[in-house]
Amino acid sequence: TLPIAERNVLSAIFTSTNGANWAVATNWNSRVGTECTWYGVTCDEKYEHIETISLSGNRLRGSLPPLTELSRLISLDVSSNQLTGSIPSLTGLSNLQYFNVRTNQLTGSIPPLTGLSNLQYFYIYSNQLTGSIPSLTGLSNLQYFNVRTNQLTGSIPPLTGL
């Protein structure tokens, strides 16, 4: 069974992104123990932790809630929706490999990427993000980093160690 804190994050995603009007919301917010059958959610083989959330192009509208309780999350894809607000903190998501929020209306700055040593793909392009690119130190597995088509300022941080 999933920890209640992980179920609560899923419920918060549904609530804060207008889940009632998603294109597909099969099984979402059904009884405890069914979370791994919810559309776009994949769990580990023992159904103990959420590993992927894939809701690309699913008419999500609103903002993303905190994700920090999803400590085993490997992949998040909420691209091509109508998300607003800022990118939530990624602190504690040390297993995260794939992060895709491209083609939304996100604002604010890019959160620190500290501690995301497994991160390989980081797609945040085509939003309205501001500020500078955070340090990429420690992202030794990074393969793709796309931040184009935003309103970013400042210089590109050092790429040593990538």
Side-chain angles (χ1 to χ4, degrees), residues 134-152:
S135 170
L136 304 178
T137 304
L139 303 181
S140 55
N141 290 299
L142 193 62
Q143 297 177 40
Y144 297 94
F145 185 84
N146 193 330
V147 298
R148 68 182 165 88
T149 322
N150 279 292
Q151 284 91 50
L152 300 174

Side-chain angles (χ1 to χ4, degrees), residues 19-79:
N21 289 307
W22 289 357
V24 183
T26 307
N27 292 341
W28 273 79
N29 279 350
S30 49
R31 68 178 173 74
V32 170
T34 63
E35 299 86 1
C36 300
T37 69
W38 297 2
Y39 174 79
V41 175
T42 307
C43 297
D44 62 4
E45 59 205 27
K46 294 182 179 178
Y47 302 105
E48 293 175 342
H49 295 284
I50 297 164
E51 289 191 336
T52 69
I53 299 172
S54 184
L55 297 169
S56 177
N58 201 36
R59 291 204 305 255
L60 279 67
R61 181 182 301 272
S63 60
L64 287 174
L67 304 171
T68 49
E69 294 294 336
L70 301 180
S71 61
R72 305 284 181 91
L73 191 68
I74 294 170
S75 173
L76 177 74
D77 186 351
V78 290
S79 60

Side-chain angles (χ1 to χ4, degrees), residues 92-132:
L93 303 183
S94 58
N95 292 307
L96 192 65
Q97 297 174 19
Y98 183 88
F99 185 80
N100 190 344
V101 296
R102 69 171 173 79
T103 319
N104 279 287
Q105 291 98 46
L106 296 169
T107 55
S109 57
I110 303 169
L113 304 177
T114 311
L116 301 180
S117 58
N118 289 302
L119 189 64
Q120 297 174 31
Y121 303 91
F122 191 75
Y123 299 113
I124 61 170
Y125 62 89
S126 298
N127 279 289
Q128 291 138 35
L129 299 167
T130 55
S132 58

